[in-house]
Amino acid sequence: MIRVRDVHMHFGDVKVLRGVSFDVQRGETLCILGGSGGGKSTLLNVMIGALRATDGEVVIDGQSTRGMKERQFDDVRRKFGVMFQGGALLNSMSIADNVALPIGYHTKLDADTIETMVKMKLYQVDLLHAADRRPSAISGGMQKRAAVARALALDPKILFYDEPSAGLDPIATTRIDELINKLKTTMRMTNVVVTHVMESVQRIADHIIMLDKGAGHPRRDAR
Ligand SMILES: Nc1ncnc2c1ncn2[C@@H]1O[C@H](COP(=O)(O)OP(=O)(O)O)[C@@H](O)[C@H]1O
Ligand SMILES: [Mg+2]
């Protein structure tokens, strides 16, 4: 589903990624580990096209994104959802409207259809009861699940998560991990998860890569 080949990312003289290569198969969970400032978010941003690699190639579901124009990349973007570090929900609108936002933006579906889709996504993350609440009026764990619902809005094949359990207590963390696993087993979702929580890695990872001085080391013995 994802192929990363010899990716380099330099910010001026700072070489954050120095030749990272790995594959992610469909329906598996890859965890990306490494120290703070080690380039995990940078690698994620290169994979989702928010940053263009200095060198190397990223292939998403058979489509190479190398040298792709922004508009072409929009087609690739519909294949995946992203849960950003911090969740990044808009507090000016309800949870339901947050989930509806990408559907309204990327499709021409009518309001009733969108409402039905939003309910399905909120049901998947067990948040139907909080549909009308503002992000600030629900717990941190619920906010993260709402961010997952929004990432699911366009029925992606791949979900990227940047530190999904940052700031959560162990129980809310376990709940997010269970959600990640449920999406894998029920939808055959491909999950790419940046995390430093080793308990989470043990619960969710099929494979892990370690970023070490900007080079990625695939490990085949995650469990
Ligand atoms: N847009 C940018 N411009 C310059 N330097 C950046 C930029 N983004 C990240 N960096 C640098 O890249 C390094 C890795 O950052 P990051 O990928 O956020 O690490 P991590 O997510 O592993 O904590 C850091 O030293 C950071 O300062
Ligand atoms: Mg980061």
Side-chain angles (χ1 to χ4, degrees), residues 165-185:
S165 45
L168 297 187
D169 62 49
I171 291 168
T173 298
T174 302
R175 216 154 161 200
I176 290 281
D177 292 342
E178 285 169 356
L179 177 57
I180 291 169
N181 284 340
K182 184 182 90 173
L183 293 171
K184 183 175 82 171
T185 51

Side-chain angles (χ1 to χ4, degrees), residues 11 16 35-42:
F11 297 108
V16 175
S36 179
K40 303 182 296 298
S41 294
T42 300

Side-chain angles (χ1 to χ4, degrees), residues 143-168:
Q143 289 174 15
K144 300 290 170 96
R145 283 178 4 241
V148 174
R150 190 179 57 183
L152 284 171
L154 294 164
D155 298 318
K157 295 180 174 180
I158 306 166
L159 275 186
F160 293 97
Y161 312 73
D162 197 353
E163 309 262 9
S165 45
L168 297 187

Side-chain angles (χ1 to χ4, degrees), residues 17-220:
L17 302 177
R18 300 193 289 184
V20 179
S21 301
F22 59 88
D23 293 319
V24 192
Q25 308 298 324
R26 180 165 181 219
E28 74 174 25
T29 298
L30 174 82
C31 284
I32 298 173
L33 313 182
S36 179
K40 303 182 296 298
S41 294
T42 300
L43 176 57
L44 204 80
N45 282 324
V46 167
M47 283 194 272
I48 67 173
L51 287 172
R52 294 312 174 94
T54 310
D55 199 5
E57 182 173 44
V58 176
V59 182
I60 305 273
D61 195 21
Q63 265 182 295
S64 174
T65 63
R66 192 177 196 145
M68 235 184 206
K69 300 264 184 301
E70 258 316 286
R71 205 182 309 149
Q72 285 175 292
F73 210 100
D74 266 345
D75 288 337
V76 181
R77 274 194 192 100
R78 294 185 56 155
K79 293 176 188 279
F80 58 75
V82 188
M83 183 192 168
F84 289 103
Q85 212 164 350
L89 297 168
L90 297 176
N91 201 46
S92 58
M93 54 177 81
S94 69
I95 296 300
D97 287 343
N98 266 281
V99 177
L101 209 58
I103 311 178
Y105 182 76
H106 285 284
T107 72
K108 297 187 168 87
L109 295 168
D110 60 87
D112 284 351
T113 308
I114 293 178
E115 194 185 325
T116 306
M117 288 173 72
V118 168
K119 281 188 181 150
M120 286 170 62
K121 304 307 167 192
L122 289 176
Y123 180 79
Q124 277 182 293
V125 303
D126 194 19
L127 274 183
L128 256 187
H129 61 285
D132 297 326
R133 290 162 76 177
R134 297 287 170 103
S136 59
I138 60 176
S139 71
M142 289 164 78
Q143 289 174 15
K144 300 290 170 96
R145 283 178 4 241
V148 174
R150 190 179 57 183
L152 284 171
L154 294 164
D155 298 318
K157 295 180 174 180
I158 306 166
L159 275 186
F160 293 97
Y161 312 73
D162 197 353
E163 309 262 9
S165 45
L168 297 187
D169 62 49
I171 291 168
T173 298
T174 302
R175 216 154 161 200
I176 290 281
D177 292 342
E178 285 169 356
L179 177 57
I180 291 169
N181 284 340
K182 184 182 90 173
L183 293 171
K184 183 175 82 171
T185 51
T186 61
M187 319 273 293
R188 213 170 161 216
M189 190 70 71
T190 304
N191 295 306
V192 177
V193 187
V194 170
T195 183
H196 59 262
V197 181
M198 288 316 290
E199 290 83 0
S200 287
V201 175
Q202 288 182 325
R203 279 193 291 262
I204 65 177
D206 296 304
H207 297 112
I208 66 179
I209 68 158
M210 289 280 299
L211 283 181
D212 178 25
K213 300 185 187 76
H217 300 292
R219 301 269 313 246
R220 288 279 148 190

